Amino acid sequence: MGADFVMLGLVPLVVGVLTSVACALLGNFLVLRRQALIGDAVSHVVLPGIVLAYLATGTVAAGAMLLGAGAAAIAALVLIEIVRRAGRIEPGAAMGVVFTALFAAGVLLLEQTDTGKVHLDVEHALYGNLESIVWFAADGWGSLLDPAALAELPPPVPRLALALAAVIAFIALFWKELFIGTFDPGFAESVGARPGLTGFALVVMVAVVAVMAFDAVGAIIVVAMFICPAGAARLMTDRLLPQLAWSVAFATAAAVAGYMLAAYGPLWLGFASSVSAAGMIATVSGGILALACLVGPRRHRRGMQAADGGA
Amino acid sequence: MLDAFVAALFLQAGYNTALVTAGAAVLGASAGAIGAFMLLRKRSLVSDAISHATLPGLALAFIVMALATGDGRFMPGLLAGAALSAGLGLVAVEWITRRTRLTEDVAIGAVLSVFFGLGIVLLTVIQAMDTGRQAGISGFLLGSTAGMLRSEAEVIAVAATLTGLAIFVLRRPLTLVCFDQEYAATQGVNVRATDLATMALVLAVTVIGLKVAGLVLIVALTILPPVAARFWTNRVERMVLIAAAIGAVAAYLGAVVSSLGPGLPTGALIVLVSFAIFLFSLVFSPLRGLLAGQMTTLALRKRVHERQGLLALARDEPIYDPLTLKVLRRAGYIRADGAATLEGRSAALAATREEALWGLYRKLFPDQALNADYHGLTPINEALPPDVVRDLEQRCNLRAA
């Protein structure tokens, strides 16, 4: 764990943790509102967004990609709502209709465009490339205190730190609205807390985080982190604030353990190369959720425990 | 280009292409049919979990076969692996939903992302294995019918046909369980077994379709055609048939266009054709379409304005609303200067009588009036039996006298 680690391993690890925690915090509300699959839908439509942005600007600069992906995500959310209302279709199917169609359009556009010269492909959007974020300016732990080296930090680090800060600020500012809007939308409406508006703001935040994260870590880790840590935390406690704390702990654990396993696990087993860190982080988060499902103190639905005992 | 398209459209572009297109069409039909039942049970997105959960099985099967025989691309082996891990994913979704307090959407999302993540890990293992033949796997991500082996196309066509037959045989219990599980149980249908059969059929369609549509997009084959079909009918049997037809057409066209050249991925094309059919249904369906809905609203508005205008005429009140004036003028009830014509007078009398009778009916039988989907614009002679109307008229006359 020396200079090599600071240069090659530390930044991906930090990016993984930042992304995971930001996703997990928002995920708590998605899980409680039965909107867990919004993250899945949003992360699929990122692809047409970045392809369109590339076609419009001709570059793969991060700013254009983020704008394109963000616009596509918001457009998809609006489309889902339109399809759901206009066609009177149940939300799950409406989501399926919109995100598969947009993803298909993205794939076709991508295949039709000559993107051979630039690094832009479906696999990259799906599982990112955490390992390639290297902090070239670092030459040891001392670099963490060296302003010159810190200025050279790879752009995903400040970007995701910003995303996490935005998520925390959003939850802190709208805590009351989110809380009552999640548990009792009718009551929230009656006291003027605008549950519809908070709900939309939440979904937009989800889109923003998913878009900021996909470039560094890919869509798959984003979907896993929106759902698994929050789902596991839901099985640990009945109170919202402790649930958020549990989800942060689970997300951090999954990111650290997943990254370490991916980067160093194969080496310990005697293989020459590492495996996908994003995939491994998702896998570890699934392991945590499975454990919580088996032994989490609040895993049972109310009344189910008694029924199980009787049977 | 056009010649090639026409040739492919009529299965004249060689045995392989014809087999692949026909196989895709049968697959699309099976997927649409079973998807219709999933949509009615509001479980459309379960197939998303199933399709993503195939990836680790595919990769593991590839690794095992590559280690054993040196070549991991044997398709039946890959599909068996895919089916196995998709089955595991399905069991996980069911288990999480039944055994914990997490809801089904959480279970679906968790299974699809975690299984997919594990699959990605295994894919990087395959890359590291240096067999140099991972092309066999990456075709499953987005689907590719180009360069598909004849044996592979045959497997797909036969398996898709068998799945379609199974759906046909099971159509009665599937329908019953969709709408009324308790009634189905009293009719001797094993609800749990039927549920399992539904899931097994979705799984079969997903696994068979992996190579055609790719595992990210195969879910669209079970969602888009049924959603589009739902616009055209309110009857299950017809909806299933229409969904199957839409699925078949979309898959057929998608496969045909895809065979024309590189850069035309089959899965994406099938999905886009289905989506076009969905959009058409959304706008033009006479039953639930946007256009039909707009027409109904406009017609109702016209009738409300006509009725209110006639009532105002009967009471000799002045009318100011421009739309009311326009409607009355169009119908010939008033002249351009706003004075009532002869027809207007008699129509106004009739409207007053209708209004009085309906008012009385509502007062006497509030419950029935509520259940009759009453908005007071249906002519009372058509809505109620003659004896009830006669009775109402007598009461009205008595009251007037």
Side-chain angles (χ1 to χ4, degrees):
Chain A
M1 296 282 168
D4 276 2
F5 176 75
V6 178
M7 185 169 146
L8 297 171
L10 186 63
V11 169
L13 186 62
V14 169
V15 168
V17 171
L18 288 175
T19 316
S20 300
V21 172
C23 291
L25 279 173
L26 290 175
N28 284 293
F29 298 99
L30 295 182
V31 164
L32 288 169
R33 288 162 171 257
R34 306 189 173 207
Q35 287 183 319
L37 290 168
I38 287 275
D40 184 36
V42 165
S43 57
H44 278 87
V45 302
V46 159
L47 180 71
I50 56 174
V51 177
L52 279 180
Y54 169 71
L55 289 179
T57 63
T59 66
V60 284
M65 298 286 112
L66 290 181
L67 270 183
I74 305 285
L77 294 175
V78 173
L79 266 179
I80 291 173
E81 204 52 29
I82 290 177
V83 166
R84 192 174 72 77
R85 290 196 190 162
R88 278 166 290 167
I89 298 163
E90 56 119 352
M95 217 184 274
V97 165
V98 171
F99 84 74
T100 53
L102 288 176
F103 189 80
V107 170
L108 190 63
L109 269 179
L110 194 55
E111 296 281 329
Q112 286 290 305
T113 332
D114 178 30
T115 49
K117 288 181 275 329
V118 294
H119 183 64
L120 184 63
D121 55 45
V122 179
E123 279 83 2
H124 179 72
L126 281 179
Y127 43 91
N129 204 351
L130 202 49
E131 297 85 346
S132 69
I133 314 172
V134 178
W135 188 12
F136 289 109
D139 52 7
W141 289 102
S143 301
L144 284 177
L145 301 171
D146 175 8
L150 282 176
E152 300 275 305
L153 264 177
V157 180
R159 198 196 307 150
L160 284 161
L162 193 71
L164 178 58
V167 167
I168 294 174
F170 171 72
I171 293 178
L173 275 178
F174 297 101
W175 175 256
K176 238 186 316 186
E177 285 84 353
L178 280 170
F179 190 100
I180 57 173
T182 299
F183 291 105
D184 196 341
F187 174 67
E189 189 79 65
S190 72
V191 297
R194 317 278 294 272
L197 197 67
T198 355
F200 186 71
L202 173 68
V203 175
V204 169
M205 280 305 291
V206 167
V208 168
V209 170
V211 166
M212 299 260 254
F214 90 90
D215 179 42
V217 299
I220 199 63
I221 187 180
V222 173
V223 181
M225 283 304 153
F226 273 129
I227 298 174
C228 292
R234 171 97 178 91
L235 304 176
M236 303 302 289
T237 167
D238 280 335
R239 304 182 52 78
L240 187 55
L241 203 57
Q243 184 186 320
L244 290 184
W246 274 111
S247 72
V248 169
F250 287 149
T252 312
V256 173
Y259 180 74
M260 288 304 181
L261 270 178
Y264 302 104
L267 303 181
W268 296 331
L269 291 176
F271 291 102
S273 60
S274 55
V275 296
S276 159
M280 192 54 101
I281 293 176
T283 310
V284 172
S285 77
I288 293 176
L289 177 63
L291 266 183
C293 282
L294 286 171
V295 297
R298 291 280 183 273
R299 65 184 182 280
H300 293 288
R301 212 165 282 142
R302 196 173 288 177
M304 211 165 78
Q305 204 161 16
D308 279 0
Chain B
M1 187 75 175
L2 193 66
D3 286 349
F5 176 74
V6 172
L9 191 62
F10 295 108
L11 302 179
Q12 302 299 312
Y15 180 75
N16 260 15
T17 315
L19 194 59
V20 169
T21 17
V26 179
L27 174 78
S30 301
I34 195 66
F37 293 109
M38 299 284 281
L39 176 69
L40 292 174
R41 302 215 53 189
K42 300 192 194 301
R43 299 189 69 190
S44 291
L45 284 174
V46 175
S47 36
D48 204 19
I50 296 179
S51 57
H52 283 78
T54 54
L55 189 58
L58 276 175
L60 262 186
F62 184 93
I63 293 174
V64 168
M65 289 191 294
L67 288 179
T69 66
D71 184 3
R73 288 177 303 170
F74 179 58
M75 200 175 80
L78 290 177
L79 292 192
L84 208 66
S85 75
L88 265 181
L90 193 54
V91 170
V93 170
E94 295 277 323
W95 183 77
I96 293 176
T97 322
R98 293 169 75 91
R99 280 284 143 190
T100 75
R101 65 178 180 181
L102 295 176
T103 46
E104 190 169 46
D105 61 324
V106 176
I108 291 172
V111 165
L112 84 84
S113 58
V114 171
F115 273 67
F116 197 73
L118 181 61
I120 301 293
V121 170
L122 293 171
L123 279 190
T124 45
V125 171
I126 293 178
Q127 278 168 7
M129 274 168 56
D130 194 33
T131 55
R133 291 218 195 87
Q134 1 147 349
I137 282 279
S138 61
F140 284 99
L141 263 185
L142 295 173
S144 74
T145 47
M148 189 186 275
L149 297 177
R150 176 178 295 195
S151 61
E152 295 179 334
E154 279 166 358
V155 169
I156 290 171
V158 171
T161 313
L162 289 179
T163 316
L165 282 178
I167 298 169
F168 180 74
V169 171
L170 289 174
R171 67 193 184 285
R172 296 294 301 157
L174 287 176
T175 312
L176 274 176
V177 171
C178 274
F179 286 99
D180 194 338
Q181 305 196 0
E182 271 122 52
Y183 174 70
T186 64
Q187 294 297 299
V189 172
N190 187 337
V191 175
R192 183 107 184 88
T194 313
D195 264 351
L196 278 178
T198 316
M199 289 304 151
L201 287 170
V202 174
L203 200 149
V205 166
T206 308
V207 171
I208 298 162
L210 276 184
K211 185 83 185 186
V212 178
L215 62 82
V216 187
L217 285 177
I218 179 81
V219 59
L221 263 69
T222 57
I223 296 183
L224 278 164
V227 168
R230 182 68 188 86
F231 282 99
W232 298 97
T233 175
N234 284 326
R235 303 197 55 82
V236 191
E237 310 86 61
R238 281 183 211 153
M239 180 182 155
V240 173
L241 283 180
I242 297 173
I246 294 175
V249 168
Y252 189 84
L253 284 180
V256 165
V257 176
S258 163
S259 72
L260 295 180
L264 295 167
T266 325
L269 284 167
I270 296 178
V271 174
L272 290 176
V273 175
S274 315
F275 187 69
I277 299 177
F278 159 77
L279 278 186
F280 179 82
S281 312
L282 175 72
V283 176
F284 293 109
S285 149
L287 229 56
R288 293 154 58 105
L290 293 180
L291 219 55
Q294 198 57 39
M295 306 262 278
T296 317
T297 314
L298 286 179
L300 179 67
R301 193 165 72 173
K302 181 172 162 274
R303 284 168 66 194
V304 169
H305 277 272
E306 183 181 299
R307 166 63 58 86
Q308 294 305 321
L310 287 174
L311 290 178
L313 277 188
R315 289 194 293 264
D316 275 333
E317 288 165 1
I319 302 168
Y320 298 110
D321 187 83
L323 182 61
T324 313
L325 286 171
K326 196 169 132 195
V327 168
L328 290 179
R329 213 175 297 132
R330 285 264 173 86
Y333 292 147
I334 55 171
R335 293 201 308 260
D337 63 357
T341 61
L342 212 55
E343 295 91 49
R345 291 261 164 243
S346 63
L349 268 179
T352 321
R353 171 184 166 272
E354 284 276 322
E355 201 65 15
L357 291 180
W358 272 122
L360 190 59
Y361 180 71
R362 247 176 310 176
K363 198 184 258 171
L364 292 175
F365 312 104
D367 296 346
Q368 284 95 319
L370 208 62
N371 288 332
D373 193 20
Y374 168 79
H375 45 62
L377 292 170
T378 329
I380 198 159
N381 289 327
E382 290 170 22
L384 300 177
D387 54 328
V388 179
V389 178
R390 218 173 306 128
D391 178 52
L392 286 173
E393 272 171 351
Q394 276 168 5
R395 284 168 194 264
C396 248
N397 293 340
L398 272 179
R399 198 173 284 191

PDB file of all heavy atoms in Angstrom, chain B residues 85-103:
ATOM      1  N   SER B  85     -28.868 -19.675 -14.615  1.00  0.00           N
ATOM      2  CA  SER B  85     -28.673 -18.504 -13.760  1.00  0.00           C
ATOM      3  C   SER B  85     -29.904 -17.599 -13.795  1.00  0.00           C
ATOM      4  O   SER B  85     -30.249 -16.976 -12.790  1.00  0.00           O
ATOM      5  CB  SER B  85     -27.400 -17.747 -14.135  1.00  0.00           C
ATOM      6  OG  SER B  85     -27.572 -17.026 -15.320  1.00  0.00           O
ATOM      7  N   ALA B  86     -30.619 -17.558 -14.946  1.00  0.00           N
ATOM      8  CA  ALA B  86     -31.859 -16.779 -14.967  1.00  0.00           C
ATOM      9  C   ALA B  86     -32.877 -17.392 -14.015  1.00  0.00           C
ATOM     10  O   ALA B  86     -33.591 -16.673 -13.314  1.00  0.00           O
ATOM     11  CB  ALA B  86     -32.422 -16.725 -16.378  1.00  0.00           C
ATOM     12  N   GLY B  87     -32.919 -18.727 -13.974  1.00  0.00           N
ATOM     13  CA  GLY B  87     -33.818 -19.400 -13.036  1.00  0.00           C
ATOM     14  C   GLY B  87     -33.476 -19.038 -11.604  1.00  0.00           C
ATOM     15  O   GLY B  87     -34.360 -18.727 -10.789  1.00  0.00           O
ATOM     16  N   LEU B  88     -32.168 -19.021 -11.298  1.00  0.00           N
ATOM     17  CA  LEU B  88     -31.731 -18.627  -9.957  1.00  0.00           C
ATOM     18  C   LEU B  88     -32.184 -17.204  -9.646  1.00  0.00           C
ATOM     19  O   LEU B  88     -32.676 -16.919  -8.547  1.00  0.00           O
ATOM     20  CB  LEU B  88     -30.210 -18.686  -9.880  1.00  0.00           C
ATOM     21  CG  LEU B  88     -29.600 -19.971  -9.339  1.00  0.00           C
ATOM     22  CD1 LEU B  88     -28.081 -19.840  -9.325  1.00  0.00           C
ATOM     23  CD2 LEU B  88     -30.105 -20.203  -7.915  1.00  0.00           C
ATOM     24  N   GLY B  89     -32.020 -16.305 -10.622  1.00  0.00           N
ATOM     25  CA  GLY B  89     -32.435 -14.921 -10.425  1.00  0.00           C
ATOM     26  C   GLY B  89     -33.918 -14.825 -10.134  1.00  0.00           C
ATOM     27  O   GLY B  89     -34.357 -14.089  -9.247  1.00  0.00           O
ATOM     28  N   LEU B  90     -34.693 -15.613 -10.884  1.00  0.00           N
ATOM     29  CA  LEU B  90     -36.141 -15.619 -10.704  1.00  0.00           C
ATOM     30  C   LEU B  90     -36.507 -16.093  -9.303  1.00  0.00           C
ATOM     31  O   LEU B  90     -37.339 -15.487  -8.608  1.00  0.00           O
ATOM     32  CB  LEU B  90     -36.744 -16.546 -11.756  1.00  0.00           C
ATOM     33  CG  LEU B  90     -38.234 -16.490 -11.964  1.00  0.00           C
ATOM     34  CD1 LEU B  90     -38.640 -15.061 -12.247  1.00  0.00           C
ATOM     35  CD2 LEU B  90     -38.610 -17.379 -13.129  1.00  0.00           C
ATOM     36  N   VAL B  91     -35.856 -17.185  -8.865  1.00  0.00           N
ATOM     37  CA  VAL B  91     -36.093 -17.698  -7.516  1.00  0.00           C
ATOM     38  C   VAL B  91     -35.751 -16.619  -6.493  1.00  0.00           C
ATOM     39  O   VAL B  91     -36.484 -16.412  -5.517  1.00  0.00           O
ATOM     40  CB  VAL B  91     -35.257 -18.975  -7.277  1.00  0.00           C
ATOM     41  CG1 VAL B  91     -35.299 -19.380  -5.815  1.00  0.00           C
ATOM     42  CG2 VAL B  91     -35.753 -20.103  -8.156  1.00  0.00           C
ATOM     43  N   ALA B  92     -34.647 -15.880  -6.740  1.00  0.00           N
ATOM     44  CA  ALA B  92     -34.244 -14.827  -5.806  1.00  0.00           C
ATOM     45  C   ALA B  92     -35.307 -13.732  -5.737  1.00  0.00           C
ATOM     46  O   ALA B  92     -35.657 -13.262  -4.646  1.00  0.00           O
ATOM     47  CB  ALA B  92     -32.898 -14.241  -6.223  1.00  0.00           C
ATOM     48  N   VAL B  93     -35.848 -13.334  -6.891  1.00  0.00           N
ATOM     49  CA  VAL B  93     -36.895 -12.300  -6.891  1.00  0.00           C
ATOM     50  C   VAL B  93     -38.092 -12.781  -6.075  1.00  0.00           C
ATOM     51  O   VAL B  93     -38.610 -12.070  -5.205  1.00  0.00           O
ATOM     52  CB  VAL B  93     -37.338 -11.964  -8.332  1.00  0.00           C
ATOM     53  CG1 VAL B  93     -38.582 -11.091  -8.319  1.00  0.00           C
ATOM     54  CG2 VAL B  93     -36.232 -11.271  -9.088  1.00  0.00           C
ATOM     55  N   GLU B  94     -38.530 -14.014  -6.335  1.00  0.00           N
ATOM     56  CA  GLU B  94     -39.690 -14.563  -5.627  1.00  0.00           C
ATOM     57  C   GLU B  94     -39.419 -14.630  -4.128  1.00  0.00           C
ATOM     58  O   GLU B  94     -40.248 -14.251  -3.304  1.00  0.00           O
ATOM     59  CB  GLU B  94     -39.987 -15.980  -6.143  1.00  0.00           C
ATOM     60  CG  GLU B  94     -40.414 -16.028  -7.587  1.00  0.00           C
ATOM     61  CD  GLU B  94     -41.902 -15.740  -7.739  1.00  0.00           C
ATOM     62  OE1 GLU B  94     -42.663 -16.175  -6.866  1.00  0.00           O
ATOM     63  OE2 GLU B  94     -42.271 -15.054  -8.704  1.00  0.00           O
ATOM     64  N   TRP B  95     -38.221 -15.110  -3.794  1.00  0.00           N
ATOM     65  CA  TRP B  95     -37.878 -15.328  -2.402  1.00  0.00           C
ATOM     66  C   TRP B  95     -37.843 -14.002  -1.646  1.00  0.00           C
ATOM     67  O   TRP B  95     -38.397 -13.870  -0.555  1.00  0.00           O
ATOM     68  CB  TRP B  95     -36.519 -16.041  -2.318  1.00  0.00           C
ATOM     69  CG  TRP B  95     -36.111 -16.372  -0.929  1.00  0.00           C
ATOM     70  CD1 TRP B  95     -36.583 -17.392  -0.153  1.00  0.00           C
ATOM     71  CD2 TRP B  95     -35.156 -15.661  -0.128  1.00  0.00           C
ATOM     72  NE1 TRP B  95     -35.976 -17.358   1.068  1.00  0.00           N
ATOM     73  CE2 TRP B  95     -35.097 -16.313   1.118  1.00  0.00           C
ATOM     74  CE3 TRP B  95     -34.349 -14.547  -0.361  1.00  0.00           C
ATOM     75  CZ2 TRP B  95     -34.259 -15.879   2.130  1.00  0.00           C
ATOM     76  CZ3 TRP B  95     -33.526 -14.116   0.651  1.00  0.00           C
ATOM     77  CH2 TRP B  95     -33.481 -14.775   1.885  1.00  0.00           C
ATOM     78  N   ILE B  96     -37.188 -12.992  -2.250  1.00  0.00           N
ATOM     79  CA  ILE B  96     -37.102 -11.687  -1.573  1.00  0.00           C
ATOM     80  C   ILE B  96     -38.498 -11.106  -1.396  1.00  0.00           C
ATOM     81  O   ILE B  96     -38.842 -10.572  -0.341  1.00  0.00           O
ATOM     82  CB  ILE B  96     -36.200 -10.719  -2.384  1.00  0.00           C
ATOM     83  CG1 ILE B  96     -34.763 -11.198  -2.371  1.00  0.00           C
ATOM     84  CG2 ILE B  96     -36.284  -9.304  -1.819  1.00  0.00           C
ATOM     85  CD1 ILE B  96     -33.828 -10.366  -3.225  1.00  0.00           C
ATOM     86  N   THR B  97     -39.352 -11.237  -2.433  1.00  0.00           N
ATOM     87  CA  THR B  97     -40.683 -10.643  -2.331  1.00  0.00           C
ATOM     88  C   THR B  97     -41.538 -11.365  -1.294  1.00  0.00           C
ATOM     89  O   THR B  97     -42.304 -10.742  -0.566  1.00  0.00           O
ATOM     90  CB  THR B  97     -41.378 -10.706  -3.704  1.00  0.00           C
ATOM     91  OG1 THR B  97     -40.424 -10.455  -4.708  1.00  0.00           O
ATOM     92  CG2 THR B  97     -42.470  -9.671  -3.792  1.00  0.00           C
ATOM     93  N   ARG B  98     -41.425 -12.694  -1.228  1.00  0.00           N
ATOM     94  CA  ARG B  98     -42.291 -13.450  -0.315  1.00  0.00           C
ATOM     95  C   ARG B  98     -41.762 -13.440   1.100  1.00  0.00           C
ATOM     96  O   ARG B  98     -42.520 -13.407   2.060  1.00  0.00           O
ATOM     97  CB  ARG B  98     -42.401 -14.904  -0.787  1.00  0.00           C
ATOM     98  CG  ARG B  98     -43.119 -15.061  -2.096  1.00  0.00           C
ATOM     99  CD  ARG B  98     -42.951 -16.469  -2.617  1.00  0.00           C
ATOM    100  NE  ARG B  98     -43.768 -17.417  -1.902  1.00  0.00           N
ATOM    101  CZ  ARG B  98     -45.004 -17.734  -2.274  1.00  0.00           C
ATOM    102  NH1 ARG B  98     -45.514 -17.204  -3.335  1.00  0.00           N
ATOM    103  NH2 ARG B  98     -45.713 -18.594  -1.582  1.00  0.00           N
ATOM    104  N   ARG B  99     -40.449 -13.500   1.252  1.00  0.00           N
ATOM    105  CA  ARG B  99     -39.869 -13.767   2.564  1.00  0.00           C
ATOM    106  C   ARG B  99     -39.497 -12.511   3.331  1.00  0.00           C
ATOM    107  O   ARG B  99     -39.350 -12.545   4.544  1.00  0.00           O
ATOM    108  CB  ARG B  99     -38.622 -14.630   2.402  1.00  0.00           C
ATOM    109  CG  ARG B  99     -38.929 -16.082   2.203  1.00  0.00           C
ATOM    110  CD  ARG B  99     -39.315 -16.695   3.510  1.00  0.00           C
ATOM    111  NE  ARG B  99     -40.375 -17.682   3.330  1.00  0.00           N
ATOM    112  CZ  ARG B  99     -41.033 -18.233   4.334  1.00  0.00           C
ATOM    113  NH1 ARG B  99     -40.763 -17.884   5.571  1.00  0.00           N
ATOM    114  NH2 ARG B  99     -41.971 -19.112   4.119  1.00  0.00           N
ATOM    115  N   THR B 100     -39.267 -11.391   2.641  1.00  0.00           N
ATOM    116  CA  THR B 100     -38.890 -10.176   3.366  1.00  0.00           C
ATOM    117  C   THR B 100     -39.924  -9.101   3.068  1.00  0.00           C
ATOM    118  O   THR B 100     -40.847  -9.307   2.285  1.00  0.00           O
ATOM    119  CB  THR B 100     -37.515  -9.646   2.919  1.00  0.00           C
ATOM    120  OG1 THR B 100     -37.669  -9.027   1.645  1.00  0.00           O
ATOM    121  CG2 THR B 100     -36.509 -10.761   2.814  1.00  0.00           C
ATOM    122  N   ARG B 101     -39.741  -7.958   3.726  1.00  0.00           N
ATOM    123  CA  ARG B 101     -40.729  -6.908   3.504  1.00  0.00           C
ATOM    124  C   ARG B 101     -40.366  -6.010   2.323  1.00  0.00           C
ATOM    125  O   ARG B 101     -41.048  -5.030   2.070  1.00  0.00           O
ATOM    126  CB  ARG B 101     -40.904  -6.076   4.764  1.00  0.00           C
ATOM    127  CG  ARG B 101     -39.673  -5.289   5.163  1.00  0.00           C
ATOM    128  CD  ARG B 101     -40.016  -4.495   6.391  1.00  0.00           C
ATOM    129  NE  ARG B 101     -38.914  -3.702   6.861  1.00  0.00           N
ATOM    130  CZ  ARG B 101     -39.003  -2.949   7.953  1.00  0.00           C
ATOM    131  NH1 ARG B 101     -40.120  -2.919   8.638  1.00  0.00           N
ATOM    132  NH2 ARG B 101     -37.980  -2.238   8.343  1.00  0.00           N
ATOM    133  N   LEU B 102     -39.309  -6.348   1.621  1.00  0.00           N
ATOM    134  CA  LEU B 102     -38.966  -5.559   0.432  1.00  0.00           C
ATOM    135  C   LEU B 102     -39.993  -5.819  -0.664  1.00  0.00           C
ATOM    136  O   LEU B 102     -40.504  -6.930  -0.799  1.00  0.00           O
ATOM    137  CB  LEU B 102     -37.567  -5.934  -0.050  1.00  0.00           C
ATOM    138  CG  LEU B 102     -36.446  -5.591   0.928  1.00  0.00           C
ATOM    139  CD1 LEU B 102     -35.116  -6.095   0.412  1.00  0.00           C
ATOM    140  CD2 LEU B 102     -36.384  -4.090   1.176  1.00  0.00           C
ATOM    141  N   THR B 103     -40.280  -4.777  -1.444  1.00  0.00           N
ATOM    142  CA  THR B 103     -41.307  -4.919  -2.483  1.00  0.00           C
ATOM    143  C   THR B 103     -40.694  -5.508  -3.752  1.00  0.00           C
ATOM    144  O   THR B 103     -39.487  -5.617  -3.880  1.00  0.00           O
ATOM    145  CB  THR B 103     -41.932  -3.545  -2.796  1.00  0.00           C
ATOM    146  OG1 THR B 103     -40.870  -2.603  -2.929  1.00  0.00           O
ATOM    147  CG2 THR B 103     -42.860  -3.117  -1.698  1.00  0.00           C
TER     148      THR B 103
END
